[in-house]
Amino acid sequence: MRPFVYDDGEEVSLRFDIRAVQSAMHKHLPFELVFSYTRLMMGFLLFRPEPRDILIIGLGGGSLSKYCYRHVPEARIVTVEINEDVIALRDQFGIPPDDERFTVVHADGAEYVADCYDSADVILLDGYDADGVPDALCSQFFFNRCAQALRDDGVLVSNADEAGGRLGVCEPRLRKAFGGKLMAVTSDSGFNQILFALKGEETPDWETLRQRAVQLEASQNLNFQAMALKLSAEAEANPAFRPI
């Protein structure tokens, strides 16, 4: 099933059929994040406010890739997309051309990550096809390789396919790959469960993260304080986040 672009005059969306919207862009605000789950995924900045390298699996309409390009200006961003038909639509979503700090790679995300070692500060997983999250992007092998690809104190954020039944598969596998340091937070829409996995031995200083949230809100139109509260509440119930 080939992707196509639907334009209603106000919003441009990427779809595999007329009912299911994979990605969307406001035409008058092309770099803003339309869906609440993508805004929540940017919560990685609470843990790594100045990442050097961001790896994104899944391009779609480029929402996360574009936002990171504009609002995390010091980072190098590599986005991996398996579907060349999706990549061919990049201009219709205002996805920037490749340059020294922004690259779209046509490759299998699972295979790409398997060849990465200690090379990313942040990994964002939002790889979907017409049927949801592919098996290769929710296997234990894949999540283990993601942990391997992250530098110390790196963070992985995954959009879990709750409606498609993938959450029950992804969550325990990610928890195993990251030694239990996993937080599951529901997006404001209630339709997406976002998983935050942290690499490293140190327990986050939640008061520092709350202060960082205030600083981030001064430069970005995202509710980082609400994200910090949700994440800290989730972590408090998880023994893996208790001080060592």
Side-chain angles (χ1 to χ4, degrees), residues 50-138:
E50 297 179 346
R52 289 174 291 163
D53 293 279
I54 300 172
L55 173 61
I56 303 174
I57 305 300
L59 176 66
S63 300
L64 287 167
S65 301
K66 290 192 302 180
Y67 191 89
C68 289
Y69 185 67
R70 170 160 289 192
H71 292 284
V72 195
E74 301 304 317
R76 292 181 293 268
I77 301 151
V78 174
T79 305
V80 181
E81 172 59 53
I82 193 171
N83 190 330
E84 62 183 350
D85 292 327
V86 170
I87 298 174
L89 300 173
R90 66 186 289 176
D91 290 345
Q92 297 190 55
F93 289 92
I95 297 172
D98 289 2
D99 60 25
E100 66 278 1
R101 55 174 292 264
F102 185 88
T103 308
V104 176
V105 178
H106 177 214
D108 182 311
E111 294 179 359
Y112 188 93
V113 168
D115 292 330
C116 295
Y117 298 86
D118 192 35
S119 59
D121 300 299
V122 176
I123 297 177
L124 302 179
L125 302 181
D126 194 25
Y128 279 70
D129 57 24
D131 299 315
V133 180
D135 290 342
L137 296 184
C138 60

Side-chain angles (χ1 to χ4, degrees), residues 203 239 241-244:
T203 299
F241 286 98
R242 292 173 187 163
I244 299 172

Side-chain angles (χ1 to χ4, degrees), residues 153 181 198-205 240-244:
D153 300 323
K181 288 200 168 185
L198 305 185
K199 184 177 179 180
E201 296 298 325
E202 292 188 7
T203 299
D205 180 343
F241 286 98
R242 292 173 187 163
I244 299 172

